[in-house]
Amino acid sequence: MKDDTLTGRQAPLPMGVAQLKPLPRPVSGETVQMLEQLLREAKAGRVTGLALVVLHADGRFDLSMRGDAILESNQMGVAGMLAALQKMALELH
């Protein structure tokens, strides 16, 4: 039996109707520089753990912890860092 579904295709638009696509977001030079600096410091052994909040261009976000940030002995230190980050965010405007 033949499957007549049109996967990956879009119906043609009526005359005079244009499909708008969002403009690409510019690359954040600040973000790239910070990541490169953190990578250099991690490779040198000066950064041993991360607690990250990553904001994606589409509005999604990821939360993750790696390295020494997930050690039980660092729980309070990481909690303090995140509280300070929250304070920074709330004071932006």
Side-chain angles (χ1 to χ4, degrees), residues 1-18:
M1 182 152 70
K2 184 179 174 189
D3 183 7
D4 289 330
T5 59
L6 298 175
T7 57
R9 296 187 186 175
Q10 181 176 346
L13 296 172
M15 287 292 285
V17 175

Side-chain angles (χ1 to χ4, degrees), residues 25 53-63:
R25 288 181 179 246
V53 179
V54 177
L55 179 61
H56 295 272
D58 63 3
R60 292 178 304 112
F61 65 91
D62 295 324
L63 304 172

Side-chain angles (χ1 to χ4, degrees), residues 32-79:
V32 172
Q33 287 176 350
M34 177 178 272
L35 288 169
E36 288 172 342
Q37 177 66 32
L38 287 171
L39 180 59
R40 283 192 298 274
E41 291 183 27
K43 286 181 174 182
R46 292 187 299 272
V47 170
T48 61
L50 295 170
L52 289 172
V53 179
V54 177
L55 179 61
H56 295 272
D58 63 3
R60 292 178 304 112
F61 65 91
D62 295 324
L63 304 172
S64 59
M65 295 171 56
R66 298 290 184 268
D68 285 355
I70 62 173
L71 297 179
E72 187 176 343
S73 61
N74 290 331
Q75 281 178 322
M76 293 308 293
V78 170

Side-chain angles (χ1 to χ4, degrees), residues 53 81-93:
V53 179
M81 292 185 321
L82 295 175
L85 180 63
Q86 181 181 23
K87 183 177 183 290
M88 289 169 59
L90 292 172
E91 291 175 347
L92 283 175
H93 298 287

